[in-house]
Amino acid sequence: MADTEAREEVTAEELADLWPVLSPEDRVEGFHLLPRAEAEDLFLTRSARDQADLLRAVPHEEQRSWARLLAPDDAADLVQAAEPEERERLLGLLDEQTRRDVRALLAYAEDDAGGLMSPRYARLRPDMTMDEAIIYLRRQAQERLETIYYVYVLDDAQRLLGVVSFRELFAAQPGRRVRDIMRTDPVTVRDDQDQEAVSRVFRDTDFMALPVVDAEGHLKGIVTVDDIVDVVEEEATEDIQKIGGMEALGAPYLEVGFTAMVKKRAGWLAALFLGEMLTATAMARYEGEIARAVVLALFVPLIISSGGNSGSQATTLVIRAMALGEVRLRDWWRVMRREIGAGLALGAVLGTIGFLRIVLWQAVRPTYGEHYLLVAATVFCSLIGVVTFGTLAGSLLPFVLRSLKLDPASASAPFVATLVDVTGLVIYFTTATLILSGTLL
Amino acid sequence: MADTEAREEVTAEELADLWPVLSPEDRVEGFHLLPRAEAEDLFLTRSARDQADLLRAVPHEEQRSWARLLAPDDAADLVQAAEPEERERLLGLLDEQTRRDVRALLAYAEDDAGGLMSPRYARLRPDMTMDEAIIYLRRQAQERLETIYYVYVLDDAQRLLGVVSFRELFAAQPGRRVRDIMRTDPVTVRDDQDQEAVSRVFRDTDFMALPVVDAEGHLKGIVTVDDIVDVVEEEATEDIQKIGGMEALGAPYLEVGFTAMVKKRAGWLAALFLGEMLTATAMARYEGEIARAVVLALFVPLIISSGGNSGSQATTLVIRAMALGEVRLRDWWRVMRREIGAGLALGAVLGTIGFLRIVLWQAVRPTYGEHYLLVAATVFCSLIGVVTFGTLAGSLLPFVLRSLKLDPASASAPFVATLVDVTGLVIYFTTATLILSGTLL
């Protein structure tokens, strides 16, 4: 009883706040408890996936009125988020004009500018006077335009001639014409441009909206910066999950089914495991050396993990710099030079710490035998080699992936670590053979 | 000569495009070649750090006119990006009103809503009629307002009473008053709220701008969504670099000085190395076992890296979910349960692959001695233990850090890997002792 009462007092704000951690059933239950106006606010600010779930949960006769709240780009996202067999039914809930818009939007790939844009922009003709323009805009403002902040000036063939901000229209003298005050040659994005590239244009220009044109310069829609916030967040999440060594989940952590999540993680983990098996092969190759000098085995985890860690740093730096457009394919040599230097410096730091550790430890508690200085020298030299190699491999790999048209973020930290582990063992045991043969080996 | 001619033809757009990869000297040189209007466009879209550099490069008598192009929030960022000893001189370049605004903004922490906001918002009084409102707004539009899309309704004490969109004003009947059409109880952010929290409010509400109020409800400024794009990108970059196992660089990769970059990487790398040294101690503890059964050493890299990889997956998932607000502190037990399940499942997958690998390899080329089945069983059991532990540690650590008020992103993949390496060795050799004592050990 107390529970029911508490639930009845829920507000849209509280529900939005709790949303990420509620079960689908609790969401629907809370949603039904809200007054219509608050429920609408909540509905409109949910993700496309959640909107589809909510729509499925309202009574059949109400679905049409809920679906019609959505702007065409949001309706398109909702249709895309729904199961394929449900899509036609959802399209059927929309009014004629919106349905046409949505079908046009659905033709674009989800990650392209065309898949992000809204076809509801404010438009003017170049020869309108200020007075005509204001009257015409006032009429357009009755429709649900995405923004009236920017107004787009089109010729008869719907080609984009220029842009004028509402503020400029508002401040201009009544006698002038749109043509006189519009900015020609506006910044545009292409309808087939990737959303990551679109987000970079927004970052570099500080516009609140950008017009989307096709190859012939026809205006197809506009992308607003609030959609870009979602894009930037989504792309960062994908990159972070790939860097962590798994497939991007594509949905909030707690909402992905357990089996789906384990599958996405098991694939990469098994692939890394298969790669890492080469370490067992490499180790078997040096079994004789280990049997003769067990002391060598003691430093194996230390050496290979140092290569992995430095490679992980280098690869994350380069992946992120590429995603932000700070580093391009042709900068590879500049990055290489820098990373070779960084690798040598970092390797020297770790090598020195390692050397001192062995020498000091030996003084306190003799563990490493009479040739401990040679062992320390082996560790020192190996660390320089392994860390430099790790840094180099970690920074080069994103370039290789990008030049193969693959996602640089797949050069995940665990992937680089695995690559470096095998090579690290070879570097370590080769160094050991060079330094220790005649004494320990 | 050809080089000079080519340079003289540079446009603002080309320069903006090349910007990230140009040296500071080339940037200034290109900037000087642009006509004033294009140079202004370029200047206004650069980062605060770049603006400070450019400002330093223009002739002394021109600096004032360049500095005055900046809105107060951008000017505050520029002052913040400059060296401390230069700040007063930069403030001196601004006009009286802007300088006052900038000083007020500088009092806020850079990462707070107050540090992001602009004090130039459009405002109205509640009792104005539509006609008065339009005239008053028209006068405000002459100033450089951040946006006229939202208009804020204030009482005499500057407390926020409501918000009205320009579109609503524009579409309302002339006789009505602002009070009648404004939305009361608008969504606000607090001036001392962290920018990450502010970006979540934007994501959850789809507004283009939000009012920033102090504890008493006075309107201090507005934050626009285009600034949030930068915040989201910046926060993701910081998290990605921390996940990669280093301090956040705080500037584009190619622009950070070599020494500064190596320092930021060496710190964490050395800390991880010191932690990883425990593996040498742990290995020394099992030196006897290794000497008796060298075959055990062969699988050390495989076992510990599997723990590291699964831990890296778990920690990145949880860190990102926390940053997006999908998972909160109190969800720890839900996440734990899920991750224990995932760890067991993933461990079983890897364990099975490892078991089969040893058995099949032995059939083709006997390497692992007569007790190879027991060795395979050791690897199988250890992998389940190590992967489960890695997954658990990786997912728990961000919760521990957050509950200690530290940044969960510091639970970097390499940090978790290091933690898991030591424990992994203990799990592996303990399992080996249990399974192999009496035969190999």
Side-chain angles (χ1 to χ4, degrees):
Chain A
M1 277 308 276
D3 193 44
T4 319
E5 268 175 54
R7 269 160 196 271
E8 272 174 13
E9 281 164 35
V10 77
T11 70
E13 209 168 321
E14 283 166 9
L15 201 56
D17 208 43
L18 286 171
W19 199 261
V21 294
L22 288 181
S23 70
E25 297 73 34
D26 287 344
R27 289 174 179 181
V28 169
E29 195 180 331
F31 180 71
H32 284 314
L33 293 172
L34 295 176
R36 172 82 187 203
E38 285 199 35
E40 285 186 5
D41 282 347
L42 187 76
F43 178 71
L44 288 174
T45 55
R46 292 306 96 194
S47 71
R49 187 191 312 270
D50 291 345
Q51 286 173 341
D53 290 344
L54 290 176
L55 204 54
R56 219 173 286 119
V58 300
H60 214 270
E61 62 279 13
E62 280 184 33
Q63 290 186 351
R64 196 171 287 268
S65 85
W66 284 97
R68 292 194 168 169
L69 292 172
L70 297 167
D73 54 335
D74 295 329
D77 289 346
L78 182 144
V79 172
Q80 228 146 17
E83 301 298 319
E85 61 274 17
E86 209 186 1
R87 289 189 186 152
E88 277 307 313
R89 197 183 65 78
L90 287 172
L91 281 167
L93 295 175
L94 304 170
D95 60 75
E96 186 58 33
Q97 171 63 37
T98 309
R99 187 159 54 233
R100 249 198 327 266
D101 286 346
V102 169
R103 282 201 201 275
L105 293 177
L106 287 174
Y108 288 101
E110 212 182 335
D111 289 353
D112 283 351
L116 277 179
M117 72 189 182
S118 160
R120 294 201 172 149
Y121 46 85
R123 64 196 81 189
L124 290 175
R125 296 261 172 248
D127 292 316
M128 286 177 165
T129 63
M130 287 305 107
D131 288 341
E132 286 168 341
I134 299 272
I135 292 168
Y136 188 57
L137 274 181
R138 202 157 204 163
R139 211 162 61 215
Q140 290 179 63
Q142 321 275 313
E143 298 166 39
R144 282 168 307 160
L145 296 178
E146 190 71 27
T147 176
I148 56 162
Y149 195 73
Y150 297 109
V151 183
Y152 300 92
V153 187
L154 306 181
D155 69 9
D156 293 335
Q158 302 295 105
R159 269 189 302 261
L160 182 64
L161 297 176
V163 180
V164 57
S165 81
F166 189 83
R167 204 146 101 198
E168 288 160 342
L169 274 178
F170 192 54
Q173 280 149 3
R176 305 190 70 190
R177 285 182 191 273
V178 170
R179 182 187 295 286
D180 306 327
I181 62 164
M182 74 183 185
R183 278 181 228 196
T184 52
D185 201 18
V187 178
T188 60
V189 292
R190 274 281 298 277
D191 55 356
D192 56 357
Q193 209 168 346
D194 180 75
Q195 62 179 5
E196 224 175 327
V198 174
S199 73
R200 280 202 290 274
V201 178
F202 270 99
R203 193 191 54 201
D204 292 347
T205 57
D206 286 339
F207 286 113
M208 297 295 247
L210 284 174
V212 182
V213 296
D214 66 11
E216 285 79 39
H218 300 114
L219 186 59
K220 310 302 283 184
I222 59 171
V223 180
T224 49
V225 69
D226 56 313
D227 296 323
I228 294 300
V229 173
D230 300 338
V231 168
V232 167
E233 219 159 59
E234 204 179 290
E235 298 276 343
T237 304
E238 271 183 40
D239 280 1
I240 286 177
Q241 291 175 347
K242 286 184 185 163
I243 288 171
M246 78 203 89
E247 263 181 81
L249 289 190
Y253 170 75
L254 285 174
E255 290 176 26
V256 182
F258 181 79
T259 324
M261 183 189 69
V262 168
K263 268 193 202 152
K264 295 210 174 207
R265 289 161 70 168
W268 256 105
L269 216 50
L272 292 170
F273 187 77
L274 291 173
E276 193 71 30
M277 275 181 175
L278 290 173
T279 59
T281 317
M283 290 287 282
R285 162 89 186 63
Y286 299 109
E287 202 175 347
E289 281 81 353
I290 298 172
R292 261 170 285 156
V294 174
V295 68
L296 282 181
L298 307 190
F299 299 106
V300 163
L302 183 64
I303 303 273
I304 64 177
S305 72
S306 300
N309 289 345
S310 56
S312 156
Q313 285 190 343
T315 200
T316 6
L317 273 181
V318 174
I319 290 170
R320 188 59 183 164
M322 276 189 177
L324 295 177
E326 293 165 7
V327 160
R328 304 181 222 193
L329 209 44
R330 66 179 111 104
D331 299 320
W332 74 274
W333 178 237
R334 236 173 114 189
V335 172
M336 269 329 80
R337 264 191 340 227
R338 215 173 141 90
E339 288 299 315
I340 292 176
L344 288 170
L346 294 170
V349 170
L350 297 197
T352 308
I353 301 177
F355 187 90
L356 292 176
R357 152 70 158 77
I358 294 177
V359 174
L360 292 177
W361 194 262
Q362 182 69 12
V364 178
R365 189 198 297 197
T367 332
Y368 304 124
E370 51 170 337
H371 298 295
Y372 72 95
L373 269 180
L374 290 180
V375 172
T378 304
V379 168
F380 176 77
C381 296
S382 306
L383 278 170
I384 293 184
V386 169
V387 170
T388 308
F389 179 79
T391 309
L392 206 60
S395 53
L396 196 52
L397 209 58
F399 285 101
V400 173
L401 289 175
R402 167 148 294 185
S403 69
L404 297 173
K405 312 261 178 239
L406 297 170
D407 184 351
S410 307
S412 60
F415 182 48
V416 171
T418 301
L419 189 76
V420 174
D421 279 358
V422 182
T423 334
L425 287 173
V426 176
I427 294 177
Y428 176 50
F429 282 104
T430 310
T431 312
T433 314
L434 288 175
I435 294 182
L436 300 175
S437 77
T439 54
L440 275 173
L441 293 177
Chain B
M1 278 305 277
D3 192 45
T4 320
E5 268 174 53
R7 269 162 195 272
E8 272 173 14
E9 279 164 37
V10 77
T11 69
E13 209 168 321
E14 283 166 9
L15 201 57
D17 208 42
L18 285 170
W19 198 262
V21 293
L22 289 180
S23 70
E25 297 74 33
D26 286 343
R27 289 176 178 180
V28 169
E29 197 181 328
F31 180 70
H32 283 314
L33 292 173
L34 294 176
R36 173 79 187 205
E38 286 199 35
E40 285 186 4
D41 282 347
L42 187 76
F43 178 72
L44 289 174
T45 56
R46 293 305 97 194
S47 70
R49 185 192 314 268
D50 291 344
Q51 286 173 340
D53 290 344
L54 289 176
L55 203 55
R56 221 174 285 120
V58 300
H60 212 271
E61 63 278 13
E62 281 183 32
Q63 290 186 351
R64 196 171 288 270
S65 86
W66 285 97
R68 290 191 170 172
L69 292 173
L70 297 168
D73 53 336
D74 296 328
D77 289 344
L78 182 143
V79 171
Q80 229 146 17
E83 300 297 318
E85 59 274 17
E86 209 186 1
R87 290 190 185 152
E88 277 306 314
R89 196 183 66 76
L90 287 173
L91 281 168
L93 295 175
L94 304 171
D95 59 74
E96 187 57 34
Q97 171 63 36
T98 309
R99 187 159 54 235
R100 246 196 332 262
D101 285 346
V102 169
R103 281 199 202 278
L105 292 178
L106 286 174
Y108 288 101
E110 214 181 332
D111 290 352
D112 282 352
L116 276 179
M117 72 189 181
S118 158
R120 293 202 172 147
Y121 47 85
R123 64 197 81 189
L124 291 175
R125 296 261 171 249
D127 293 316
M128 286 177 165
T129 63
M130 288 303 108
D131 288 342
E132 286 168 342
I134 299 272
I135 292 168
Y136 188 58
L137 274 182
R138 200 158 205 160
R139 210 160 64 214
Q140 291 180 63
Q142 321 275 312
E143 298 166 38
R144 283 167 307 161
L145 294 179
E146 190 71 27
T147 176
I148 56 162
Y149 195 72
Y150 296 108
V151 183
Y152 300 92
V153 187
L154 307 181
D155 69 10
D156 293 336
Q158 303 293 104
R159 269 189 301 262
L160 181 64
L161 298 176
V163 180
V164 57
S165 81
F166 189 81
R167 205 145 102 198
E168 289 161 339
L169 275 178
F170 192 54
Q173 280 148 3
R176 305 188 71 187
R177 287 182 189 272
V178 170
R179 182 187 295 285
D180 306 327
I181 62 164
M182 75 184 186
R183 276 179 232 199
T184 53
D185 201 16
V187 178
T188 60
V189 293
R190 275 283 298 276
D191 54 356
D192 56 358
Q193 208 167 346
D194 180 75
Q195 61 180 6
E196 224 176 327
V198 174
S199 73
R200 279 203 289 274
V201 178
F202 270 98
R203 194 191 54 201
D204 291 346
T205 57
D206 287 339
F207 286 114
M208 296 295 247
L210 284 175
V212 181
V213 297
D214 66 12
E216 285 80 39
H218 300 113
L219 186 59
K220 310 303 281 184
I222 59 170
V223 180
T224 49
V225 70
D226 55 313
D227 296 323
I228 295 300
V229 174
D230 301 339
V231 167
V232 167
E233 217 158 61
E234 203 180 290
E235 298 276 344
T237 304
E238 270 182 40
D239 279 2
I240 286 176
Q241 291 175 348
K242 285 184 186 162
I243 289 171
M246 78 203 87
E247 264 181 80
L249 289 189
Y253 171 76
L254 286 174
E255 291 177 25
V256 182
F258 181 78
T259 324
M261 182 190 68
V262 169
K263 267 192 203 153
K264 296 213 174 203
R265 290 161 69 169
W268 256 107
L269 217 50
L272 291 171
F273 187 77
L274 291 172
E276 194 70 32
M277 275 180 176
L278 290 173
T279 59
T281 317
M283 289 288 281
R285 162 88 185 63
Y286 299 109
E287 203 173 347
E289 280 81 352
I290 298 172
R292 260 171 285 154
V294 174
V295 67
L296 281 182
L298 308 190
F299 299 105
V300 163
L302 183 64
I303 302 273
I304 64 177
S305 71
S306 299
N309 290 344
S310 56
S312 155
Q313 285 189 343
T315 199
T316 6
L317 272 182
V318 174
I319 290 170
R320 188 60 183 164
M322 275 189 176
L324 294 178
E326 293 165 8
V327 160
R328 304 182 222 192
L329 210 43
R330 66 179 110 104
D331 299 319
W332 74 274
W333 178 237
R334 237 175 111 189
V335 172
M336 266 332 79
R337 263 191 341 225
R338 216 174 141 89
E339 289 299 315
I340 292 176
L344 289 170
L346 295 170
V349 170
L350 297 196
T352 308
I353 301 177
F355 187 90
L356 291 176
R357 153 71 158 75
I358 295 177
V359 173
L360 291 176
W361 194 260
Q362 180 71 11
V364 180
R365 189 197 298 195
T367 332
Y368 304 125
E370 50 169 337
H371 299 296
Y372 72 94
L373 269 180
L374 290 178
V375 172
T378 305
V379 168
F380 176 79
C381 295
S382 306
L383 278 170
I384 294 184
V386 169
V387 170
T388 308
F389 179 80
T391 308
L392 205 60
S395 52
L396 196 51
L397 209 58
F399 285 101
V400 173
L401 290 176
R402 166 147 296 180
S403 70
L404 296 173
K405 311 258 177 241
L406 298 170
D407 185 351
S410 307
S412 61
F415 181 49
V416 171
T418 300
L419 189 75
V420 174
D421 278 356
V422 182
T423 335
L425 287 173
V426 176
I427 294 176
Y428 176 49
F429 282 105
T430 310
T431 313
T433 313
L434 288 175
I435 294 183
L436 300 174
S437 76
T439 54
L440 276 172
L441 294 177

